[in-house]
Amino acid sequence: MQWLRCPHLLIEPAEVRELDQAALLRGQPNFVTRRVWRALCSHRDGAFALTDAQLALLGRASPREPQAPDLLRGSASEAECQALLDAGLLREVNDDGNRLPADVAWHPLAAVLHRQCRWSDVDSRETDARLEAVGGMAGLEALFGPVPDSHLSCGDPAQRLALPYAASTSLSKSLQQRSTCRNFDRTRALALQDLASVLGHVYGVQAEAEVSGLHALKKLVPSAGGLHPVEAFVLAQNVAGLASGLYHYHCVAHALEPLRGLSSEEARDLAARCVAHQTWFEDAPVLIFLVCRFQRTFWKYREHAKAYRAVTVDVGHLSMLQYAVATELGLGSFFTAAINEMAIERALNLDPMQTGVMAVTGLGWRAAQMHSLEFDPLRRVWPDWSGAIGTPAGT
Ligand SMILES: Cc1cc2nc3c(=O)[nH]c(=O)nc-3n(C[C@H](O)[C@H](O)[C@H](O)COP(=O)(O)O)c2cc1C
């Protein structure tokens, strides 16, 4: 039996601030800082605090070449070695065994970033309360200094070359009516036809063709390498003629694949957890989970420094096209990356390193009243828009 270390491992020299227990007992509460080595990896959530002996052991171990424990152990005790094995930072391999887990060819930094930045049960209402407690934006400015300028200016204004007006197009006119929707009409069902139009245009396939040996899909969005790794999973809460529950959109068949039926309470509860309790999104008639099949893109861009960035940009293109199509249909749409990925992974039974959820979008009819602020200074959606809730325009 030999040992391998896990494939993606970053070591962080971290500083932990904690209560000084001895001082506390003396009635003098005080904080002390302690420096620790933290192991961050792609196969487990959260950091693992390492002793110096464990750190040295992992430094000797290879993710590819199994080695005898005696060569690796150094001064690490049995218990320290066992803790590494229990955490999966070290793996035992048999001489004839299959040594590596499913190879998705992640870039190591991206793999650790993706794994460790997921949320489990974040509640954005707590974040909002904290923001309010520090005095909102003014409080943040007091803490962090002024907000950076809204835009960049380069050089002398007198040297600017003024451009002709941007020509108005049907697309630009339509997009002027786009505003991130935070006010859904929870009583008005989305027509199946509207859902089908959004899914078909945004996530659906326009054509299939063999290109240089690759079976490629043509969609209305671009995608790195033409690989289109992002899939749409639908949480239907209020769609006429569609039972509430979870579905996968089959982009070639242009069909919904039922995964699990949910009562309306279950659907609402799941929606709320998925969008980290952003209450303005949780009653959207439809939520769409953008799930990336990393192996599709990383199969070609193996351990590539830009590959994770590329799939993130793919997600952005889908989001923008969804905004555009929804706006054309008169529907509200939103995008959020402030999501509890782990809740979605559990609901869809996903392995985050194989098929990870990157974002959530939503879709539906807008409510008549704005209860949560939207950004519509052009007043194309909300004629009385003033930048404040409950304040008549112009006051
Ligand atoms: C990457 C990204 C993340 C976003 N996340 C959130 C979010 O978590 N919650 C939210 O209410 N809006 C979110 N939005 C919407 C933005 O707040 C919104 O686009 C911005 O305020 C400008 O308003 P507009 O989209 O109406 O022009 C997000 C948008 C983007 C592009």
Side-chain angles (χ1 to χ4, degrees):
M1 189 269 301
Q2 296 183 305
W3 285 349
L4 278 180
R5 78 156 169 78
C6 60
H8 309 124
L9 174 65
L10 294 187
I11 306 293
E12 181 194 10
E15 208 161 51
V16 181
R17 201 158 177 264
E18 54 194 25
L19 263 180
D20 181 344
Q21 297 297 334
L24 193 63
L25 287 177
R26 291 195 304 273
Q28 301 162 326
N30 194 15
F31 281 99
V32 284
T33 52
R34 199 163 50 84
R35 273 161 288 281
V36 289
W37 295 110
R38 300 200 319 166
L40 298 163
C41 45
S42 66
H43 68 275
R44 71 192 295 280
D45 300 326
F48 180 95
L50 295 169
T51 63
D52 288 355
Q54 288 172 323
L55 175 71
L57 190 167
L58 290 174
R60 283 188 289 276
S62 160
R64 287 187 193 82
E65 302 292 327
Q67 290 165 279
D70 285 347
L71 285 177
L72 295 176
R73 197 170 280 128
S75 63
S77 66
E78 277 300 317
E80 286 174 313
C81 295
Q82 192 56 49
L84 293 180
L85 287 162
D86 291 345
L89 293 161
L90 277 183
R91 285 192 314 117
E92 289 181 342
V93 288
N94 298 322
D95 295 337
D96 55 347
N98 183 10
R99 287 169 181 165
L100 290 173
D103 178 13
V104 182
W106 277 91
H107 186 279
L109 291 178
V112 175
L113 174 85
H114 176 71
R115 175 110 215 173
Q116 299 296 337
C117 291
R118 290 149 53 249
W119 289 351
S120 176
D121 37 31
V122 170
D123 188 331
S124 72
R125 291 168 300 188
E126 290 165 13
T127 323
D128 292 345
R130 276 199 296 277
L131 180 61
E132 218 165 285
V134 297
M137 290 302 279
L140 287 186
E141 284 206 301
L143 283 171
F144 306 137
V147 185
D149 281 350
S150 63
H151 60 278
L152 181 67
S153 301
C154 295
D156 180 356
Q159 300 299 314
R160 286 180 197 153
L161 308 174
L163 293 170
Y165 285 113
S168 180
T169 65
S170 56
L171 179 64
S172 70
K173 280 191 205 128
S174 174
L175 288 179
Q176 284 181 351
Q177 295 170 43
R178 184 203 62 79
S179 157
T180 292
C181 182
R182 298 194 183 87
N183 299 278
F184 287 99
D185 182 344
R186 64 182 64 173
T187 62
R188 188 170 174 191
L190 187 67
L192 189 60
Q193 176 61 63
D194 286 336
L195 175 60
S197 298
V198 171
L199 290 173
H201 292 319
V202 181
Y203 303 97
V205 167
Q206 307 291 313
E208 296 176 73
E210 298 295 321
V211 189
S212 317
L214 173 78
H215 182 74
L217 306 177
K218 181 71 181 177
K219 300 194 183 185
L220 294 183
V221 283
S223 171
L227 293 162
H228 295 288
V230 181
E231 297 279 323
F233 286 79
V234 172
L235 172 56
Q237 298 208 79
N238 192 7
V239 181
L242 188 66
S244 75
L246 287 164
Y247 300 83
H248 170 245
Y249 172 65
H250 192 297
C251 67
V252 175
H254 183 53
L256 287 174
E257 300 178 306
L259 300 176
R260 186 146 59 92
L262 297 169
S263 69
S264 14
E265 293 73 33
E266 288 169 332
R268 179 66 179 266
D269 177 62
L270 178 61
R273 281 184 286 120
C274 292
V275 297
H277 300 276
Q278 297 183 75
T279 49
W280 47 93
F281 290 154
E282 63 193 33
D283 53 7
V286 165
L287 268 68
I288 300 177
F289 305 129
L290 303 194
V291 170
C292 182
R293 293 164 59 231
F294 296 113
Q295 70 269 39
R296 171 84 177 157
T297 295
F298 299 173
W299 174 84
K300 178 175 178 190
Y301 299 115
R302 304 192 75 77
E303 295 173 26
H304 197 296
K306 312 292 177 181
Y308 190 64
R309 189 186 302 177
V311 299
T312 309
V313 173
D314 278 11
V315 167
H317 284 121
L318 290 162
S319 159
M320 184 58 217
L321 185 58
Q322 180 174 315
Y323 270 114
V325 172
T327 304
E328 279 269 304
L329 294 171
L331 297 167
S333 185
F334 73 80
F335 177 91
T336 177
I339 59 173
N340 281 315
E341 290 89 344
M342 295 186 207
I344 301 169
E345 290 158 9
R346 281 192 294 273
L348 297 174
N349 197 19
L350 303 175
D351 173 340
M353 302 310 292
Q354 304 267 340
T355 42
V357 57
M358 304 289 285
V360 174
T361 65
L363 198 63
W365 291 106
R366 266 201 175 77
Q369 295 286 320
M370 183 167 71
H371 296 292
S372 294
L373 188 61
E374 295 189 18
F375 186 50
D376 186 30
L378 293 170
R379 299 185 181 176
R380 299 292 157 88
V381 184
W382 302 101
D384 296 332
W385 190 87
S386 71
I389 297 288
T391 311
T395 60

